Amino acid sequence: MINRSRNGFHTAPMSKQEIIKWLKEEDPRRLEELWRWADIVREASVGPEIHLRAIIEISNYCRRACGYCGINCHNNEVDRYRLSEEQILNSVRQVADDGFRTVVLQSGEDYGFSVQMIDNLIRKIKSQTGLAVTLSLGEREKSELRQWKLAGADRYLLKIETSNPQLFNRIHPMQSSSWSNRLEMLHFLMDLGFEIGSGIMVGIPGQTYEDLADDLLTFWELDIDMLGIGPFIPHPLTALGQNNYSAFKDQTPNTEITAHKVNALARVFCPDSNIPTTTALATLNKTNGRILGLQRGANVIMPNMTPIEYRPLYQIYPGRVCLDESGKQLIKAIHQTVKSLGRVISDDIGMSRNYLKRTGKKIAI
Ligand code: SAH
């Protein structure tokens, strides 16, 4: 076991073998114990509050060729769009009015947005709405990240997708990035003072149980502030969309239950992190995927608040939910769900408790 003080533990909360045992567990009674464990840890660390984040997908242009992603640069069937500054600001004002306290600006890796455009946007969002700003714009130059932090951006999401560098390279062919670049960027973001988020997909073709165990140990080691984990959902127009799963040894399933197991274990490993119940989970189980996530470790909901006419164009995988909900409708439904769970919607910007501890800032909750 690695002996470092991370996420409140001096040694990792369990060994690789123990993680793998949980990941392969099928006994429903044992799994109930895992869900309960995650729920107890969540309540004791981040409490009953649920944070809402409005995601606005500001562009589906992408220079990368990620083998899993439907908006990769080789997919000619995608109608590409890039929102104007005015369209983005209108959406941001709308979500602020709906009651959100954080906006997440997400896009493909689109250099059509210059460093200065994003800088202006961040400044305008902060001065006009006071919302916390999370960026999820892929890999960008260090100078750009520094400029955006100075402009007032609070958080950055960059998924490593897998902690196995060989698997990473297999699913990111050609002009795509390398695993070590991603890791280096996460460390750089941390040094700049961002709250940092990362995450993985569960059930990537060629991913083993040992890989998933390593993912959890990696997040623990990184002392990550936010963690997004969802099932891999094949997209027919991608390289990985056609895979024959039986070809791989010790292959992890891309099922709902496996994704829940990884999320529950993530809560145990990273008790103070903000963990969303992901849209990919809700896509696999439209009735109660989101609620189950909240009952098994998650404390964040990230609804898609992209202008409705653009939502179908950001098709990273097929069948995405919430393509037609408006802010007010959705918030009302979420309030009901949260109340039925005996939880509450937070009314502050919901900084990660892990970030506050990691940086020695005052803990407000
Ligand atoms: N371009 C930015 C933000 C992309 S958001 C970046 O690369 O960081 C896209 C996220 O959606 C990915 O990080 C991935 O985890 C998820 N995703 C993409 N394709 C997916 C698929 N087929 N199934 C499940 N999740 C997928």
Side-chain angles (χ1 to χ4, degrees), residues 9 16 28 33 37 42 53 73 89 101 134 161 170 173 183 223 265 298 325 327 332 337 341 346 348:
F9 297 101
K16 203 189 263 194
E33 282 174 39
W37 187 10
R42 190 268 314 145
R53 321 299 197 195
C73 62
L89 287 173
R101 301 292 313 277
T134 303
E161 317 295 358
R170 214 180 310 145
L183 203 63
D223 211 2
L265 291 166
E325 283 164 310
K332 202 166 153 219
T337 306
L341 294 174
S346 161
D348 64 35

PDB file of all heavy atoms in Angstrom, residues 9 16 28 33 37 42 53 73 89 101 134 161 170 173 183 223 265 298 325 327 332 337 341 346 348:
ATOM      1  N   PHE A   9      -6.434  10.162   4.627  1.00  0.00           N
ATOM      2  CA  PHE A   9      -5.891   8.869   5.049  1.00  0.00           C
ATOM      3  C   PHE A   9      -4.375   8.877   4.910  1.00  0.00           C
ATOM      4  O   PHE A   9      -3.840   9.454   3.978  1.00  0.00           O
ATOM      5  CB  PHE A   9      -6.395   7.732   4.146  1.00  0.00           C
ATOM      6  CG  PHE A   9      -7.875   7.526   4.190  1.00  0.00           C
ATOM      7  CD1 PHE A   9      -8.681   8.018   3.178  1.00  0.00           C
ATOM      8  CD2 PHE A   9      -8.461   6.819   5.224  1.00  0.00           C
ATOM      9  CE1 PHE A   9     -10.054   7.831   3.206  1.00  0.00           C
ATOM     10  CE2 PHE A   9      -9.830   6.622   5.255  1.00  0.00           C
ATOM     11  CZ  PHE A   9     -10.633   7.133   4.246  1.00  0.00           C
ATOM     12  N   LYS A  16      -5.476  -3.098  -3.423  1.00  0.00           N
ATOM     13  CA  LYS A  16      -5.949  -3.338  -4.790  1.00  0.00           C
ATOM     14  C   LYS A  16      -6.818  -4.602  -4.855  1.00  0.00           C
ATOM     15  O   LYS A  16      -7.864  -4.617  -5.493  1.00  0.00           O
ATOM     16  CB  LYS A  16      -4.727  -3.491  -5.697  1.00  0.00           C
ATOM     17  CG  LYS A  16      -5.023  -3.183  -7.146  1.00  0.00           C
ATOM     18  CD  LYS A  16      -3.861  -3.546  -8.033  1.00  0.00           C
ATOM     19  CE  LYS A  16      -3.003  -2.365  -8.338  1.00  0.00           C
ATOM     20  NZ  LYS A  16      -2.075  -2.628  -9.457  1.00  0.00           N
ATOM     21  N   PRO A  28     -26.253  -9.400  -3.797  1.00  0.00           N
ATOM     22  CA  PRO A  28     -26.977  -8.142  -3.550  1.00  0.00           C
ATOM     23  C   PRO A  28     -26.869  -7.664  -2.108  1.00  0.00           C
ATOM     24  O   PRO A  28     -26.841  -6.449  -1.852  1.00  0.00           O
ATOM     25  CB  PRO A  28     -28.437  -8.486  -3.879  1.00  0.00           C
ATOM     26  CG  PRO A  28     -28.420  -9.787  -4.585  1.00  0.00           C
ATOM     27  CD  PRO A  28     -27.122 -10.465  -4.290  1.00  0.00           C
ATOM     28  N   GLU A  33     -24.325  -3.410   1.438  1.00  0.00           N
ATOM     29  CA  GLU A  33     -23.337  -2.914   2.429  1.00  0.00           C
ATOM     30  C   GLU A  33     -22.437  -1.850   1.815  1.00  0.00           C
ATOM     31  O   GLU A  33     -22.098  -0.858   2.455  1.00  0.00           O
ATOM     32  CB  GLU A  33     -22.444  -4.062   2.908  1.00  0.00           C
ATOM     33  CG  GLU A  33     -23.086  -4.964   3.934  1.00  0.00           C
ATOM     34  CD  GLU A  33     -22.177  -6.158   4.231  1.00  0.00           C
ATOM     35  OE1 GLU A  33     -20.939  -5.994   4.295  1.00  0.00           O
ATOM     36  OE2 GLU A  33     -22.723  -7.273   4.370  1.00  0.00           O
ATOM     37  N   TRP A  37     -22.163   1.930   3.007  1.00  0.00           N
ATOM     38  CA  TRP A  37     -20.836   2.432   3.399  1.00  0.00           C
ATOM     39  C   TRP A  37     -20.589   3.788   2.718  1.00  0.00           C
ATOM     40  O   TRP A  37     -20.247   4.783   3.360  1.00  0.00           O
ATOM     41  CB  TRP A  37     -19.782   1.394   2.993  1.00  0.00           C
ATOM     42  CG  TRP A  37     -18.388   1.679   3.467  1.00  0.00           C
ATOM     43  CD1 TRP A  37     -17.999   2.629   4.367  1.00  0.00           C
ATOM     44  CD2 TRP A  37     -17.203   0.993   3.051  1.00  0.00           C
ATOM     45  NE1 TRP A  37     -16.636   2.577   4.544  1.00  0.00           N
ATOM     46  CE2 TRP A  37     -16.124   1.585   3.746  1.00  0.00           C
ATOM     47  CE3 TRP A  37     -16.937  -0.061   2.187  1.00  0.00           C
ATOM     48  CZ2 TRP A  37     -14.811   1.161   3.585  1.00  0.00           C
ATOM     49  CZ3 TRP A  37     -15.624  -0.487   2.017  1.00  0.00           C
ATOM     50  CH2 TRP A  37     -14.577   0.113   2.719  1.00  0.00           C
ATOM     51  N   ARG A  42     -20.312   9.619   2.840  1.00  0.00           N
ATOM     52  CA  ARG A  42     -20.760  10.879   2.218  1.00  0.00           C
ATOM     53  C   ARG A  42     -21.407  11.798   3.254  1.00  0.00           C
ATOM     54  O   ARG A  42     -21.076  12.974   3.377  1.00  0.00           O
ATOM     55  CB  ARG A  42     -21.737  10.535   1.072  1.00  0.00           C
ATOM     56  CG  ARG A  42     -22.121  11.664   0.158  1.00  0.00           C
ATOM     57  CD  ARG A  42     -23.379  12.385   0.586  1.00  0.00           C
ATOM     58  NE  ARG A  42     -24.448  11.473   0.947  1.00  0.00           N
ATOM     59  CZ  ARG A  42     -25.331  11.710   1.903  1.00  0.00           C
ATOM     60  NH1 ARG A  42     -25.284  12.831   2.605  1.00  0.00           N
ATOM     61  NH2 ARG A  42     -26.269  10.823   2.210  1.00  0.00           N
ATOM     62  N   ARG A  53     -24.864  22.113 -10.587  1.00  0.00           N
ATOM     63  CA  ARG A  53     -23.965  22.775 -11.545  1.00  0.00           C
ATOM     64  C   ARG A  53     -24.665  22.813 -12.881  1.00  0.00           C
ATOM     65  O   ARG A  53     -25.121  21.760 -13.370  1.00  0.00           O
ATOM     66  CB  ARG A  53     -22.656  21.999 -11.738  1.00  0.00           C
ATOM     67  CG  ARG A  53     -22.028  21.371 -10.515  1.00  0.00           C
ATOM     68  CD  ARG A  53     -21.655  22.368  -9.479  1.00  0.00           C
ATOM     69  NE  ARG A  53     -20.713  21.847  -8.500  1.00  0.00           N
ATOM     70  CZ  ARG A  53     -20.474  22.450  -7.346  1.00  0.00           C
ATOM     71  NH1 ARG A  53     -21.118  23.557  -7.011  1.00  0.00           N
ATOM     72  NH2 ARG A  53     -19.594  21.946  -6.508  1.00  0.00           N
ATOM     73  N   CYS A  73     -12.945  14.714 -34.164  1.00  0.00           N
ATOM     74  CA  CYS A  73     -12.779  15.517 -35.393  1.00  0.00           C
ATOM     75  C   CYS A  73     -13.029  14.730 -36.680  1.00  0.00           C
ATOM     76  O   CYS A  73     -13.258  15.322 -37.727  1.00  0.00           O
ATOM     77  CB  CYS A  73     -11.396  16.156 -35.407  1.00  0.00           C
ATOM     78  SG  CYS A  73     -10.059  14.943 -35.431  1.00  0.00           S
ATOM     79  N   LEU A  89     -23.420  34.304 -22.606  1.00  0.00           N
ATOM     80  CA  LEU A  89     -23.795  35.161 -21.479  1.00  0.00           C
ATOM     81  C   LEU A  89     -25.296  35.115 -21.208  1.00  0.00           C
ATOM     82  O   LEU A  89     -25.724  35.110 -20.058  1.00  0.00           O
ATOM     83  CB  LEU A  89     -23.321  36.599 -21.716  1.00  0.00           C
ATOM     84  CG  LEU A  89     -21.809  36.798 -21.569  1.00  0.00           C
ATOM     85  CD1 LEU A  89     -21.411  38.208 -21.996  1.00  0.00           C
ATOM     86  CD2 LEU A  89     -21.353  36.527 -20.120  1.00  0.00           C
ATOM     87  N   ARG A 101     -25.625  28.191  -8.747  1.00  0.00           N
ATOM     88  CA  ARG A 101     -24.538  29.031  -8.229  1.00  0.00           C
ATOM     89  C   ARG A 101     -23.205  28.742  -8.914  1.00  0.00           C
ATOM     90  O   ARG A 101     -22.191  29.376  -8.641  1.00  0.00           O
ATOM     91  CB  ARG A 101     -24.376  28.823  -6.706  1.00  0.00           C
ATOM     92  CG  ARG A 101     -25.617  29.154  -5.868  1.00  0.00           C
ATOM     93  CD  ARG A 101     -25.952  30.648  -5.863  1.00  0.00           C
ATOM     94  NE  ARG A 101     -24.785  31.493  -5.619  1.00  0.00           N
ATOM     95  CZ  ARG A 101     -24.294  31.783  -4.423  1.00  0.00           C
ATOM     96  NH1 ARG A 101     -24.873  31.325  -3.340  1.00  0.00           N
ATOM     97  NH2 ARG A 101     -23.244  32.561  -4.295  1.00  0.00           N
ATOM     98  N   THR A 134     -16.554  26.958 -13.703  1.00  0.00           N
ATOM     99  CA  THR A 134     -15.762  25.749 -13.938  1.00  0.00           C
ATOM    100  C   THR A 134     -15.518  25.646 -15.431  1.00  0.00           C
ATOM    101  O   THR A 134     -16.444  25.795 -16.231  1.00  0.00           O
ATOM    102  CB  THR A 134     -16.541  24.496 -13.485  1.00  0.00           C
ATOM    103  OG1 THR A 134     -16.891  24.653 -12.112  1.00  0.00           O
ATOM    104  CG2 THR A 134     -15.710  23.240 -13.656  1.00  0.00           C
ATOM    105  N   GLU A 161      -9.682   9.655 -17.969  1.00  0.00           N
ATOM    106  CA  GLU A 161     -10.409   8.550 -18.612  1.00  0.00           C
ATOM    107  C   GLU A 161      -9.961   7.164 -18.148  1.00  0.00           C
ATOM    108  O   GLU A 161     -10.767   6.264 -18.000  1.00  0.00           O
ATOM    109  CB  GLU A 161     -10.367   8.614 -20.152  1.00  0.00           C
ATOM    110  CG  GLU A 161     -10.586   9.993 -20.777  1.00  0.00           C
ATOM    111  CD  GLU A 161     -11.960  10.600 -20.546  1.00  0.00           C
ATOM    112  OE1 GLU A 161     -12.807   9.954 -19.933  1.00  0.00           O
ATOM    113  OE2 GLU A 161     -12.163  11.767 -20.949  1.00  0.00           O
ATOM    114  N   ARG A 170      -4.263   3.782 -26.472  1.00  0.00           N
ATOM    115  CA  ARG A 170      -5.065   3.018 -27.430  1.00  0.00           C
ATOM    116  C   ARG A 170      -6.375   3.749 -27.765  1.00  0.00           C
ATOM    117  O   ARG A 170      -6.834   3.710 -28.891  1.00  0.00           O
ATOM    118  CB  ARG A 170      -5.381   1.640 -26.836  1.00  0.00           C
ATOM    119  CG  ARG A 170      -5.438   0.560 -27.882  1.00  0.00           C
ATOM    120  CD  ARG A 170      -5.750  -0.815 -27.294  1.00  0.00           C
ATOM    121  NE  ARG A 170      -4.920  -1.193 -26.173  1.00  0.00           N
ATOM    122  CZ  ARG A 170      -5.348  -1.916 -25.129  1.00  0.00           C
ATOM    123  NH1 ARG A 170      -6.606  -2.332 -25.074  1.00  0.00           N
ATOM    124  NH2 ARG A 170      -4.538  -2.225 -24.148  1.00  0.00           N
ATOM    125  N   PRO A 173      -5.967   7.859 -30.325  1.00  0.00           N
ATOM    126  CA  PRO A 173      -4.997   7.650 -31.402  1.00  0.00           C
ATOM    127  C   PRO A 173      -4.529   8.952 -32.039  1.00  0.00           C
ATOM    128  O   PRO A 173      -5.104  10.009 -31.818  1.00  0.00           O
ATOM    129  CB  PRO A 173      -5.815   6.836 -32.419  1.00  0.00           C
ATOM    130  CG  PRO A 173      -7.226   7.247 -32.174  1.00  0.00           C
ATOM    131  CD  PRO A 173      -7.342   7.633 -30.732  1.00  0.00           C
ATOM    132  N   LEU A 183      -1.853  14.207 -16.970  1.00  0.00           N
ATOM    133  CA  LEU A 183      -1.491  14.189 -15.554  1.00  0.00           C
ATOM    134  C   LEU A 183      -0.713  15.463 -15.187  1.00  0.00           C
ATOM    135  O   LEU A 183      -0.968  16.087 -14.159  1.00  0.00           O
ATOM    136  CB  LEU A 183      -0.647  12.945 -15.265  1.00  0.00           C
ATOM    137  CG  LEU A 183      -0.673  12.512 -13.832  1.00  0.00           C
ATOM    138  CD1 LEU A 183      -2.078  12.105 -13.405  1.00  0.00           C
ATOM    139  CD2 LEU A 183       0.285  11.337 -13.613  1.00  0.00           C
ATOM    140  N   ASP A 223      -5.217  13.383  -4.723  1.00  0.00           N
ATOM    141  CA  ASP A 223      -5.942  14.253  -3.789  1.00  0.00           C
ATOM    142  C   ASP A 223      -6.920  15.142  -4.564  1.00  0.00           C
ATOM    143  O   ASP A 223      -6.934  16.367  -4.427  1.00  0.00           O
ATOM    144  CB  ASP A 223      -4.943  15.109  -3.009  1.00  0.00           C
ATOM    145  CG  ASP A 223      -5.447  15.442  -1.617  1.00  0.00           C
ATOM    146  OD1 ASP A 223      -6.545  14.981  -1.273  1.00  0.00           O
ATOM    147  OD2 ASP A 223      -4.747  16.177  -0.897  1.00  0.00           O
ATOM    148  N   LEU A 265     -17.064   3.273  -4.305  1.00  0.00           N
ATOM    149  CA  LEU A 265     -15.687   3.126  -3.820  1.00  0.00           C
ATOM    150  C   LEU A 265     -14.947   4.472  -3.896  1.00  0.00           C
ATOM    151  O   LEU A 265     -14.127   4.793  -3.030  1.00  0.00           O
ATOM    152  CB  LEU A 265     -14.948   2.058  -4.639  1.00  0.00           C
ATOM    153  CG  LEU A 265     -15.450   0.624  -4.407  1.00  0.00           C
ATOM    154  CD1 LEU A 265     -14.925  -0.315  -5.494  1.00  0.00           C
ATOM    155  CD2 LEU A 265     -15.026   0.102  -3.025  1.00  0.00           C
ATOM    156  N   ALA A 298     -22.793  10.013  -4.311  1.00  0.00           N
ATOM    157  CA  ALA A 298     -22.700  11.298  -5.019  1.00  0.00           C
ATOM    158  C   ALA A 298     -23.334  12.441  -4.223  1.00  0.00           C
ATOM    159  O   ALA A 298     -24.244  12.223  -3.422  1.00  0.00           O
ATOM    160  CB  ALA A 298     -23.356  11.191  -6.386  1.00  0.00           C
ATOM    161  N   GLU A 325     -35.333  19.510 -21.371  1.00  0.00           N
ATOM    162  CA  GLU A 325     -35.815  20.130 -20.139  1.00  0.00           C
ATOM    163  C   GLU A 325     -35.370  21.580 -20.034  1.00  0.00           C
ATOM    164  O   GLU A 325     -34.261  21.914 -20.400  1.00  0.00           O
ATOM    165  CB  GLU A 325     -35.262  19.380 -18.924  1.00  0.00           C
ATOM    166  CG  GLU A 325     -35.994  18.086 -18.663  1.00  0.00           C
ATOM    167  CD  GLU A 325     -35.206  17.199 -17.719  1.00  0.00           C
ATOM    168  OE1 GLU A 325     -34.003  16.995 -17.979  1.00  0.00           O
ATOM    169  OE2 GLU A 325     -35.789  16.722 -16.750  1.00  0.00           O
ATOM    170  N   GLY A 327     -34.696  24.993 -17.506  1.00  0.00           N
ATOM    171  CA  GLY A 327     -34.127  25.161 -16.178  1.00  0.00           C
ATOM    172  C   GLY A 327     -35.147  25.058 -15.058  1.00  0.00           C
ATOM    173  O   GLY A 327     -34.992  24.260 -14.139  1.00  0.00           O
ATOM    174  N   LYS A 332     -37.309  22.241 -10.412  1.00  0.00           N
ATOM    175  CA  LYS A 332     -38.453  21.839  -9.607  1.00  0.00           C
ATOM    176  C   LYS A 332     -38.404  20.323  -9.358  1.00  0.00           C
ATOM    177  O   LYS A 332     -38.555  19.855  -8.231  1.00  0.00           O
ATOM    178  CB  LYS A 332     -39.745  22.223 -10.354  1.00  0.00           C
ATOM    179  CG  LYS A 332     -40.925  22.336  -9.450  1.00  0.00           C
ATOM    180  CD  LYS A 332     -42.082  23.037 -10.140  1.00  0.00           C
ATOM    181  CE  LYS A 332     -43.368  22.539  -9.490  1.00  0.00           C
ATOM    182  NZ  LYS A 332     -44.444  22.329 -10.430  1.00  0.00           N
ATOM    183  N   THR A 337     -36.970  15.475  -5.886  1.00  0.00           N
ATOM    184  CA  THR A 337     -36.144  14.276  -5.701  1.00  0.00           C
ATOM    185  C   THR A 337     -35.299  14.389  -4.441  1.00  0.00           C
ATOM    186  O   THR A 337     -35.250  13.482  -3.610  1.00  0.00           O
ATOM    187  CB  THR A 337     -35.169  14.123  -6.897  1.00  0.00           C
ATOM    188  OG1 THR A 337     -35.925  14.150  -8.083  1.00  0.00           O
ATOM    189  CG2 THR A 337     -34.365  12.852  -6.803  1.00  0.00           C
ATOM    190  N   LEU A 341     -35.272  12.287  -0.692  1.00  0.00           N
ATOM    191  CA  LEU A 341     -34.103  11.577  -0.146  1.00  0.00           C
ATOM    192  C   LEU A 341     -33.729  12.100   1.241  1.00  0.00           C
ATOM    193  O   LEU A 341     -32.760  11.617   1.846  1.00  0.00           O
ATOM    194  CB  LEU A 341     -32.895  11.761  -1.073  1.00  0.00           C
ATOM    195  CG  LEU A 341     -32.966  11.137  -2.464  1.00  0.00           C
ATOM    196  CD1 LEU A 341     -31.746  11.544  -3.294  1.00  0.00           C
ATOM    197  CD2 LEU A 341     -33.021   9.617  -2.350  1.00  0.00           C
ATOM    198  N   SER A 346     -27.934  22.840  -1.745  1.00  0.00           N
ATOM    199  CA  SER A 346     -27.057  23.848  -1.152  1.00  0.00           C
ATOM    200  C   SER A 346     -27.360  25.220  -1.751  1.00  0.00           C
ATOM    201  O   SER A 346     -27.677  25.325  -2.934  1.00  0.00           O
ATOM    202  CB  SER A 346     -25.614  23.465  -1.450  1.00  0.00           C
ATOM    203  OG  SER A 346     -24.774  24.561  -1.298  1.00  0.00           O
ATOM    204  N   ASP A 348     -24.981  27.687  -1.353  1.00  0.00           N
ATOM    205  CA  ASP A 348     -23.720  28.396  -1.598  1.00  0.00           C
ATOM    206  C   ASP A 348     -23.062  27.848  -2.869  1.00  0.00           C
ATOM    207  O   ASP A 348     -23.627  26.994  -3.538  1.00  0.00           O
ATOM    208  CB  ASP A 348     -22.782  28.320  -0.377  1.00  0.00           C
ATOM    209  CG  ASP A 348     -22.332  26.906  -0.059  1.00  0.00           C
ATOM    210  OD1 ASP A 348     -22.133  26.122  -1.002  1.00  0.00           O
ATOM    211  OD2 ASP A 348     -22.181  26.572   1.137  1.00  0.00           O
TER     212      ASP A 348
END
